[in-house]
Amino acid sequence: YKKIKPMKIFTNILVLLAVALLIFNITLIDFQNPFKGDSVVAFVGVVASFCAVLILLIFRMSKKIVEKMNDNA
């Protein structure tokens, strides 16, 4: 029996939101002129969403490492 961990649920929700924003911003990019007008804003949104996903995954991995270190100690 595992205890439900609110932090894991919260990070999963944030990852899903970041991926949804990533997909949404990709649809806004005009691939004919990717660096003009609203495509620049969409491109910045894609990069920001990708960074958010990476940061959240690194955070989740660090929490797993801390848990394993506490279990072994």
Side-chain angles (χ1 to χ4, degrees), residues 25-26 28-29 34-35 38-49:
N25 282 318
I26 287 173
L28 294 179
I29 296 175
F35 297 109
D38 289 338
S39 291
V40 174
V41 176
F43 185 70
V44 169
V46 167
V47 172
S49 298

Side-chain angles (χ1 to χ4, degrees), residues 8-26:
K8 186 174 182 180
I9 294 170
F10 183 65
T11 56
N12 282 341
I13 291 170
L14 288 178
V15 168
L16 287 174
L17 286 172
V19 169
L21 279 173
L22 180 75
I23 293 168
F24 175 72
N25 282 318
I26 287 173

Side-chain angles (χ1 to χ4, degrees), residues 24-65:
F24 175 72
N25 282 318
I26 287 173
T27 63
L28 294 179
I29 296 175
D30 178 18
F31 290 101
Q32 301 298 324
N33 295 315
F35 297 109
K36 292 192 179 188
D38 289 338
S39 291
V40 174
V41 176
F43 185 70
V44 169
V46 167
V47 172
S49 298
F50 184 72
C51 289
V53 170
L54 283 178
I55 289 170
L56 287 166
L57 293 177
I58 290 169
F59 176 72
R60 187 184 304 167
M61 289 176 71
S62 70
K63 286 294 183 184
K64 284 183 183 179
I65 290 170

Side-chain angles (χ1 to χ4, degrees), residues 66-73:
V66 168
E67 285 178 10
K68 286 186 180 184
M69 288 180 69
N70 288 339
D71 289 343
N72 291 337

